Amino acid sequence: MKKPKIVILGAGYGGLMTATRLQKQIGANDAEIILVNKNDYHYETTWLHEASAGTLHHDRVRYDISKVIDNGKVEFVKGTAVEIKTDEKKVLLEKGELEYDYLVVALGGESETFGIKGLKEYAFSISNINSARQIREHIEYQFATYNTEEVKDDTRLSIVVGGAGFTGIEFLGELGNRIPELCKEYDVPFEKVKIVCVEAAPMVLPGFDPELVEYAVAHLEKKGVQFRIGTAIKEGTPDGIIVAKGEDDVEEIKAGTVIWAAGIRGNAIIEKSGFEAMRGRIKVDENLRAPGHDNIFVIGDSSLVINEEINRPYPPTAQIAMQQGELVAKNIAALIQNKDLGTFTFDNKGTVCSLGEDDAIGVVFGKKVVGKKASFMKKMVDNRALLMIGGASLVAKKGKFNVL
Ligand code: FAD
Ligand code: NAD
């Protein structure tokens, strides 16, 4: 009898968790497992703000996929998926195509610009290794160029961060450490540098604990960050951004660097392939399958799971993606072995938001933490993800041990 073919799209947190768990649960004779990813490396999306600011080299943020999968059981295909043909049980790749019996869509998310003019053209987003490397280089170039010009252009040294969600705040935390280094390296006076964070909601980290938010804002303001709260970015331009506070109060902020960190949506392939989606994310059933498709599981940033307590979607995180990956591996094994499927319940262990190298805020198992203790916990969370996917050897190679 023909072996069932399992295709996993994406080797991020969700996809790698599925692959590394499946390889333990299914024998090589029971199924063919194929893992597809754009690059032959996995990157820690949750560390990209560090690579973008230049506080951690991008090579520290990534590792070879072949090192964490059982190459005897999982075939790795380096390729870019472009569309899923559900009626033909096929995935089209940029080069070639793959048939599947079971499909796991774990392609992550994409920056959401809400159709705001000029952002795609003029703003950067913290999305992957390439964009992180580009942001780091761009900021450094602005500093390196500043003193070479006869008429100095201070806007080169202005950085705008759009959105004070967790991505924006974590990036600002890293900038707080990086800017003094750049000033020293390029002989730039610190007072010439301007870092502005623009947030549309009435508070930083909307919905998070107000006391912790106050701590974060005070910490970042001390490092030179100016917050523009209740102010929305309306347009990106070659010279910076246009913002508005209310209907009439429109203003231009000139900046040599604009980072758009104001939200994500599901991977474009979801809508292109005809799935019903909300901002590119599929509302999955209790077994994590796409409605109407018994053989297609969707996890991570391209999926949407409702938190029944508040009737709102859970924020897309690595934490939930990994838990989904674990269940999907079990559910695919169950389908092959004719067993019952498990249902998904998110076990929220908390949230820690880094504020740079040695500071952070968080709520862990319901308790508030700040400062060095929170920063230590953040590094442990980062190490835990490595441990769960690649074991102790990966932690030894890539782990964060610079705890104070
Ligand atoms: P990803 O981990 O993003 O992986 C998607 C994979 O698919 C990538 O390898 C990508 O290359 C590949 N891919 C994409 N398109 C294609 C294609 N067409 N063909 C083939 N391969 C493709 N969450 C937390 O829980 N804790 C945190 O501390 C945290 N910090 C964060 C910090 C930053 C700066 C950012 C941006 C996010 C952070 N998040 C955090 C959110 C978290 O990173 C995401 O929710 C998580 O990465 C989603 O996992 P995923 O498996 O869906 O996608
Ligand atoms: P987000 O959607 O959580 O935050 C985006 C922020 O941008 C919001 O505060 C929103 O009000 C603001 N915004 C939207 N439009 C705007 C506009 N036009 N002008 C100004 N501000 C605007 O997005 P994110 O921060 O990228 O986070 C994405 C996901 O990743 C979330 O689920 C988050 O929880 C997760 N994440 C977690 C961590 C962590 O746990 N440490 C770190 C980073 C990201």
Side-chain angles (χ1 to χ4, degrees), residues 99-117:
E99 289 180 354
Y100 62 80
D101 295 301
Y102 301 103
L103 182 68
V104 182
V105 183
L107 292 166
E110 292 178 3
S111 174
E112 168 66 287
T113 52
F114 306 104
I116 299 172
K117 198 174 148 197

Side-chain angles (χ1 to χ4, degrees), residues 12-14 37-38 45-46 79-81 107-108 267 300-301 316-319 378:
Y13 293 101
N37 197 61
K38 249 182 201 171
T45 308
T46 61
T80 300
L107 292 166
N267 193 295
D301 286 3
T317 60
Q319 189 183 170
K378 179 79 172 83

Side-chain angles (χ1 to χ4, degrees), residues 8 10-25 35 42 63 68-69 74 104 106 299 318-330 384-390:
I8 303 166
Y13 293 101
L16 269 190
M17 200 66 187
T18 308
T20 54
R21 291 301 178 270
L22 255 182
Q23 70 193 14
K24 289 187 187 130
Q25 285 164 38
L35 173 64
H42 159 94
Y63 55 81
V68 295
I69 55 172
V74 178
V104 182
I299 60 176
Q319 189 183 170
I320 199 167
M322 290 175 79
Q323 290 181 22
Q324 290 177 314
E326 266 186 301
L327 179 70
V328 164
K330 275 190 200 144
R384 182 173 180 268
L386 297 173
L387 183 73
M388 289 187 75
I389 288 172

Side-chain angles (χ1 to χ4, degrees), residues 2 7 32 38 66 69 71 86 147 153 168 175 178 209 238 240 242 254 272 295 307 317 344 385 393 396:
K2 195 174 150 274
V7 172
E32 202 180 328
K38 249 182 201 171
S66 64
I69 55 172
N71 293 283
T86 54
N147 278 327
D153 175 7
L175 276 187
R178 181 70 178 138
D209 181 276
I242 311 282
K254 291 199 181 224
K272 190 175 173 197
N295 59 341
N307 177 351
T317 60
F344 184 71
S393 63

Side-chain angles (χ1 to χ4, degrees), residues 9-16 36-39 41-50 65 79-82 93 106-110 126-128 166-167 170-171 264 267 269 299-302 315-322 352-353 378 381-382:
L9 299 179
Y13 293 101
L16 269 190
V36 182
N37 197 61
K38 249 182 201 171
N39 312 295
Y41 58 81
H42 159 94
Y43 51 81
E44 298 286 303
T45 308
T46 61
W47 305 9
L48 286 177
H49 56 290
E50 296 168 75
I65 291 165
T80 300
V82 290
L93 306 178
L107 292 166
E110 292 178 3
I126 302 172
S127 309
N128 50 44
F166 286 103
T167 301
E170 290 201 326
F171 178 64
I264 56 144
N267 193 295
I269 289 174
I299 60 176
D301 286 3
S302 286
T317 60
Q319 189 183 170
I320 199 167
M322 290 175 79
V352 187
C353 175
K378 179 79 172 83
V381 173
D382 289 350

